[in-house]
Amino acid sequence: MNQNKKDNSELILTILLGWLGVHKFIEKEYGIGVIYLLTFGLFGIGWIFDIYTCFYYNSEKFLEIKNSIKENTNKCNELNEHIENLKNTYADIKRIDYGTANYIDNSSWNFKRPAFQKYQEAKNIYNCSRTVCSNARMQPFKYICKYFNIKPSEDNLQKFENVLNDFSAAEQGKNLLKNERDNIVNSISDKVPLLIKVFNKKRLIRKLGFNDIDFSQLYFPQYIFRYISSGGNSSMQCNITFDIDNLNKFVIYLSELVKFRKSAAGQRALMTTQLREKIKQRDHYTCCKCGNSIEKEPNLLLEIDHIIPISKNGMTTEENLQTLCWKCNRKKGSKIE
């Protein structure tokens, strides 16, 4: 019930703000009694709408609509869960552990050092000198590798390629999922009362059984270089976020430093966004296992799979890559098929 009130609060707030803008004029022209009468009616509308929506969502008519799209709703929620799992595939590589120490400041001026309040120990934060912080801004990848213990090895390169592959699928999947959900909701739009569609759409989507789609990009890994002066009166910070663009650049950066050992000729493809699209285009945007395609299902999420998995010494080469729909890719896992 608290969530329901939250959904309607935006409507009530909008009406209230408009009301506050004209109430002085009404009071001046018609008197305070009219103000009381209209105010009671105004807030009464909100409660009446709450009661109306409560009855509607428990009506047989709405339950019939919900059941008619239940199968499609479940498919959307299954895809939503898969996308959330893709977001959690980041290989968390810890920074160099320099040990721990206790620091005690007995200065009577300690309370006047506001920058010390920003001090924080975390795996993704490196507390450093001003010089290191400034240099990290100019050469972020070099300093991430140095201070967060990411060695330019083929294994680490493959880890970040996998992260990029999964994150790219997750970002694309979010938009495809929203399109599919909107199509389903639109298909039953003529059966839903206008008031519900206009003023209660978010709640309608939840009541139909759809899980919320997280469109935030907070899951992107972030590395932070932070400088705090010895006096605690100034600070400086450099944030490097591994979004899709930076991950593409980082994969290329690592590849230029890596001496490949699994390929005799030292040649392999890089699992970048461009390669993902190239493989999908080569396979005509069709799943190589089940044959489903974006022509049959426009909002189908396609992913790139290693035919022989990397864990079984498979290589990132075009011959070892194939397009699979997300369901087939999830079912295959690390098997060779």
Side-chain angles (χ1 to χ4, degrees):
M1 188 64 181
N2 290 336
Q3 185 63 50
N4 298 342
K5 290 182 178 178
K6 182 178 179 181
D7 292 337
N8 293 327
S9 64
E10 295 181 2
L11 169 64
I12 296 173
L13 180 60
T14 302
I15 297 174
L16 180 60
L17 290 175
W19 170 244
L20 291 175
V22 299
H23 83 283
K24 290 185 178 180
F25 171 78
I26 296 176
E27 181 180 355
K28 181 179 179 181
E29 294 294 325
Y30 301 102
I32 192 67
V34 175
I35 291 292
Y36 288 146
L37 181 62
L38 292 178
T39 300
F40 175 78
L42 180 64
F43 284 98
I45 292 173
W47 290 109
I48 291 172
F49 189 68
D50 268 343
I51 296 171
Y52 167 70
T53 56
C54 184
F55 274 105
Y56 175 73
Y57 290 128
N58 287 281
S59 67
E60 290 186 7
K61 183 177 180 180
F62 176 75
L63 294 177
E64 287 177 2
I65 295 173
K66 182 177 180 179
N67 288 330
S68 69
I69 61 170
K70 186 175 182 179
E71 184 178 350
N72 292 330
T73 304
N74 289 338
K75 288 180 180 179
C76 280
N77 290 339
E78 192 179 1
L79 175 57
N80 200 351
E81 182 181 354
H82 176 69
I83 292 171
E84 290 303 308
N85 289 333
L86 289 175
K87 295 179 183 179
N88 296 323
T89 57
Y90 173 64
D92 188 13
I93 303 176
K94 298 180 180 179
R95 66 178 173 84
I96 298 174
D97 187 354
Y98 290 99
T100 57
N102 293 325
Y103 176 74
I104 301 173
D105 189 344
N106 294 319
S107 170
S108 60
W109 300 98
N110 188 38
F111 69 95
K112 290 188 177 180
R113 299 175 180 180
F116 280 155
Q117 298 176 7
K118 299 179 181 178
Y119 188 85
Q120 181 183 359
E121 286 286 351
K123 290 183 292 185
N124 68 321
I125 298 177
Y126 182 76
N127 294 291
C128 58
S129 66
R130 176 184 285 272
T131 301
V132 170
C133 193
S134 298
N135 290 341
R137 180 174 64 88
M138 303 299 296
Q139 298 177 297
F141 295 157
K142 176 181 177 180
Y143 278 76
I144 285 175
C145 288
K146 180 177 181 180
Y147 290 101
F148 289 92
N149 198 27
I150 303 177
K151 300 185 183 302
S153 65
E154 190 167 359
D155 288 340
N156 278 338
L157 175 59
Q158 288 176 344
K159 288 179 182 178
F160 279 97
E161 284 179 313
N162 288 338
V163 171
L164 173 58
N165 191 23
D166 288 341
F167 281 7
S168 296
E171 286 299 292
Q172 186 177 33
K174 290 190 299 186
N175 294 323
L176 294 174
L177 176 59
K178 182 181 182 301
N179 291 339
E180 184 64 20
R181 187 193 67 184
D182 289 347
N183 288 342
I184 296 171
V185 174
N186 289 336
S187 70
I188 49 96
S189 178
D190 58 338
K191 301 177 183 178
V192 178
L194 181 62
L195 283 175
I196 297 292
K197 290 187 293 186
V198 174
F199 298 112
N200 212 237
K201 187 174 181 179
K202 290 183 180 179
R203 186 182 173 193
L204 170 64
I205 290 173
R206 282 196 297 271
K207 284 294 185 178
L208 286 170
F210 293 99
N211 294 335
D212 290 338
I213 303 174
D214 181 12
F215 288 99
S216 72
Q217 297 182 336
L218 296 177
Y219 70 96
F220 287 143
Q222 186 177 74
Y223 292 94
I224 299 173
F225 290 88
R226 180 178 292 157
Y227 160 74
I228 298 176
S229 67
S230 58
N233 293 312
S234 63
S235 63
M236 182 181 186
Q237 184 167 306
C238 175
N239 299 338
I240 302 118
T241 301
F242 270 18
D243 54 16
I244 301 299
D245 183 52
N246 253 351
L247 276 170
N248 270 296
K249 293 176 181 177
F250 189 64
V251 163
I252 295 172
Y253 172 82
L254 281 183
S255 71
E256 293 173 349
L257 301 177
V258 171
K259 295 181 179 180
F260 295 99
R261 64 180 183 277
K262 293 184 179 179
S263 173
Q267 298 294 322
R268 67 189 288 278
L270 293 178
M271 184 59 81
T272 60
T273 302
Q274 289 77 11
L275 179 61
R276 293 181 77 256
E277 291 304 312
K278 182 178 180 180
I279 298 301
K280 286 191 284 187
Q281 186 176 16
R282 181 201 69 186
D283 295 338
H284 307 291
Y285 298 94
T286 301
C287 176
C288 293
K289 187 169 180 62
C290 71
N292 200 3
S293 67
I294 61 173
E295 185 176 353
K296 299 176 183 177
E297 190 177 330
N299 294 313
L300 177 67
L301 175 60
L302 295 172
E303 299 177 354
I304 304 303
D305 167 67
H306 286 80
I307 299 172
I308 301 176
I310 291 177
S311 60
K312 293 179 171 59
N313 296 320
M315 290 290 296
T316 303
T317 58
E318 292 187 25
E319 296 75 17
N320 192 44
L321 296 175
Q322 63 179 346
T323 302
L324 294 181
C325 71
W326 68 273
K327 287 186 177 180
C328 289
N329 195 24
R330 185 176 63 173
K331 187 182 299 183
K332 175 178 181 287
S334 59
K335 294 181 291 185
I336 299 178
E337 294 183 359

